[in-house]
């Protein structure tokens, strides 16, 4: 009898515990639902969440700017959202000033649509919360770059695959990754990023760049860019790389310049670069001058000059008797006549 009594008690406690758990789950569901606005007030937008820290709003189905503004004029129990998504919307052409009311976001993704412009005050409510601004794959030709300094937590921004034809000098203490590739920029000044001390990676490939405008002699040194590690400049229309085109901190970094029309690289084109890679394959280089490339090779930088019409004259004699040749892909790098650099006989250059 004693054993039976204990068994019954245990079962009863288990049932009570299960009951409390069930009621707790129901309360949790109700609480989570209460975090979102009423569905009919924000339709066609959809609010979803798993906690107060992961509220998400999808407004991909809005028909125009006024409908978007109406949605965010509704009552929001919680105004701090983790993510806004507007994906492949074919109606929104602008984000007007104040369109999101007092609702803020940590991540804003407006992608793959027909957006043409962003108002100066469209993102004001997220100045203190936004970490990522993703506007890639639209038709944006007008973006208020001057507001970037107002974002206190912004680390990544993408305006890739748009219609921007200029990139002004930027100012942001927190921006680390900038995707500006696949825009018809034409030219970019080296001073563009002087006001972004945290910048690490810049994507400028396929931007129709014809020229890198170096800093004037009186400008501040780019040593402020102490985190810069990678710059993508491939598939542009560059014909030369000037001195101080891309300045790196005294740390490993890489610059990607393949598939341009580069025929000349100036000495000291990449000051501060140690280790890492300079990719210059598939350009129009005919020579590898010692004053340009030896300082980089001495700093442990790897070079990729293959796919260029190298004459292999006396300009490469300095390279053949050094260990540096291992840093230039010698089995892939060939002279214009097809000879591999790795197989050239230094004795043939004795008169240079």
């Amino acid at each position: 009898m004693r054993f039976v009594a204990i068994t019954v008690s245990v079962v009863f406690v288990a049932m009570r515990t299960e009951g409390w758990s069930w009621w707790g789950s129901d309360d949790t569901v109700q609480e989570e639902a209460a975090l979102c606005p009423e569905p009919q007030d924000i339709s066609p937008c959809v609010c979803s969440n798993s906690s107060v820290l992961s509220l998400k709003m999808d407004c991909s189905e809005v028909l125009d700017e006024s409908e978007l503004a109406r949605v965010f004029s509704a009552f929001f129990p919680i105004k701090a959202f983790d993510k806004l998504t507007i994906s492949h919307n074919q109606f929104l052409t602008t984000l007007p000033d104040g369109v999101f009311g007092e609702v803020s976001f940590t991540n804003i993704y407006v992608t793959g649509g027909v957006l043409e412009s962003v108002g100066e005050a469209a993102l004001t409510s997220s100045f203190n919360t936004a970490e990522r601004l993703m506007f890639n794959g639209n038709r944006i030709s007008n973006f208020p770059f001057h507001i970037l300094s107002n974002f206190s937590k912004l680390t990544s921004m993408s305006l890739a695959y748009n219609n921007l034809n200029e990139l002004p000098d930027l100012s942001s203490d927190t921006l680390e990754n900038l995707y500006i590739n696949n825009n018809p920029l034409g030219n970019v000044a080296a001073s563009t990023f002087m006001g972004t001390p945290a910048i690490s990676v810049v994507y400028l490939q396929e931007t129709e760049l014809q020229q890198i405008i170096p800093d004037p002699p009186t400008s501040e040194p780019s040593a402020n860019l102490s985190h810069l590690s990678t710059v993508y400049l491939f598939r542009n229309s560059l014909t030369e790389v000037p001195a101080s085109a891309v300045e790196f901190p005294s740390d490993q970094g890489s610059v990607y310049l393949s598939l341009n029309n580069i025929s000349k690289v100036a000495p000291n084109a990449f000051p501060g670069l140690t280790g890492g890679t300079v990719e210059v394959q598939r350009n129009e280089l005919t020579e590898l001058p010692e004053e340009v490339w030896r300082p980089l090779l001495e700093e442990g930088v790897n070079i990729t000059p293959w796919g260029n019409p190298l004459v292999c004259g006396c300009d490469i004699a300095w390279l053949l008797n050094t260990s540096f040749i291992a840093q230039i892909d010698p089995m892939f790098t060939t002279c214009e006549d097809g000879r591999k650099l790795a197989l050239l006989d230094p004795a043939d250059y004795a008169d240079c």
Side-chain angles (χ1 to χ4, degrees):
M1 293 293 296
R2 191 176 185 182
F3 176 78
V4 172
I6 294 174
T7 303
V8 170
S9 299
V10 170
V11 171
F12 177 70
V13 170
M15 289 175 65
R16 289 184 61 190
T17 303
E18 183 180 357
W20 289 337
S21 175
W22 184 84
W23 283 107
S25 297
D26 186 59
D27 289 344
T28 301
V29 170
Q30 293 179 16
E31 289 174 3
E32 289 178 357
L35 298 176
C36 283
E38 292 295 331
Q40 65 271 19
D41 292 344
I42 61 171
S43 178
C45 295
V46 178
C47 174
S48 61
N49 67 86
S50 57
S51 74
V52 69
L53 298 177
S54 61
L55 282 165
K56 294 176 174 58
M57 180 74 86
D58 190 323
C59 290
S60 301
E61 300 300 320
V62 295
L63 295 178
D64 54 32
E65 291 80 6
S66 61
E67 185 169 56
L68 186 64
R70 176 191 59 76
V71 166
F72 286 96
S73 67
F75 173 69
F76 278 70
I78 302 294
K79 292 183 170 63
F81 276 65
D82 173 60
K83 185 178 182 181
L84 168 69
T85 299
I86 302 178
S87 177
H88 293 88
N89 182 283
Q90 300 302 303
F91 303 103
L92 290 178
T93 60
T94 183
L95 289 182
D97 292 346
V99 68
F100 300 117
E102 298 179 355
V103 179
S104 66
F105 302 96
T106 301
N107 302 283
I108 297 176
Y109 285 75
V110 183
T111 60
V114 295
L115 194 67
E116 297 175 1
S117 65
V118 177
E120 292 189 4
L123 307 174
T124 303
S125 59
S126 296
F127 278 170
N128 295 322
T129 59
E131 297 176 7
R132 296 177 184 84
L133 299 178
M134 300 296 167
F135 290 95
N136 45 288
N138 288 288
R139 301 175 183 175
I140 297 173
S141 59
N142 182 21
F143 186 86
F145 286 101
H146 63 277
I147 70 171
L148 294 184
S149 60
N150 295 322
F151 290 94
S152 60
K153 297 180 179 179
L154 182 65
T155 59
S156 296
M157 181 172 72
S158 177
L159 284 159
Y161 294 92
N162 277 289
N163 293 329
L164 296 167
N165 56 25
E166 64 177 348
L167 184 62
D169 289 353
L170 304 178
S171 178
S172 170
D173 290 335
T174 59
L175 185 63
E176 298 174 5
N177 303 295
L178 176 63
Y179 303 79
I180 202 76
N181 52 287
N182 296 87
N183 280 278
L185 297 177
N187 295 309
V188 171
S191 62
T192 299
F193 306 102
M194 288 298 297
T196 57
I199 200 74
S200 175
V201 184
V202 180
Y203 295 81
L204 280 164
Q205 70 270 24
E206 298 189 69
T207 50
E208 301 180 17
L209 288 187
Q210 300 178 21
Q211 186 179 9
I212 300 173
I213 305 171
D215 291 343
T218 56
S219 66
E220 294 292 324
S222 293
N224 292 334
L225 302 182
S226 58
H227 299 282
L228 185 63
S229 65
T230 310
V231 180
Y232 293 93
L233 290 160
F234 61 85
R235 288 190 183 277
N236 281 302
S237 300
L238 297 170
T239 58
E240 62 178 285
V241 183
S244 300
V246 182
E247 296 192 39
F248 288 88
S250 298
D251 199 357
Q252 182 167 308
S254 296
V255 57
Y256 297 90
L257 288 155
S258 59
L259 296 159
N260 279 275
N261 299 310
I262 298 168
S263 60
K264 180 181 179 182
V265 177
N268 203 37
F270 315 108
L273 184 59
T274 59
T277 301
V278 175
E279 288 198 357
V280 289
Q281 68 266 27
R282 299 194 182 281
N283 278 287
E284 299 299 327
L285 296 172
T286 59
E287 298 182 342
L288 297 175
E290 184 174 7
E291 64 272 21
V292 174
W293 302 111
R294 179 184 279 274
L296 290 169
L297 294 170
E298 288 178 343
E299 293 294 339
V301 177
N302 292 307
I303 315 295
T304 60
W306 53 268
N308 282 277
L310 299 174
V311 174
C312 294
C314 285
D315 63 283
I316 64 165
W318 67 274
L319 184 60
L320 300 181
N321 280 319
T322 70
S323 61
F324 296 140
I325 196 168
Q327 294 170 232
I328 65 165
D329 283 345
M331 291 305 296
F332 291 97
T333 303
T334 61
C335 305
E336 189 177 25
D337 59 12
R339 292 175 294 159
K340 295 181 182 293
L341 259 64
L343 303 180
L344 294 179
D345 187 350
D348 294 338
Y349 293 84
D351 295 334
C352 290

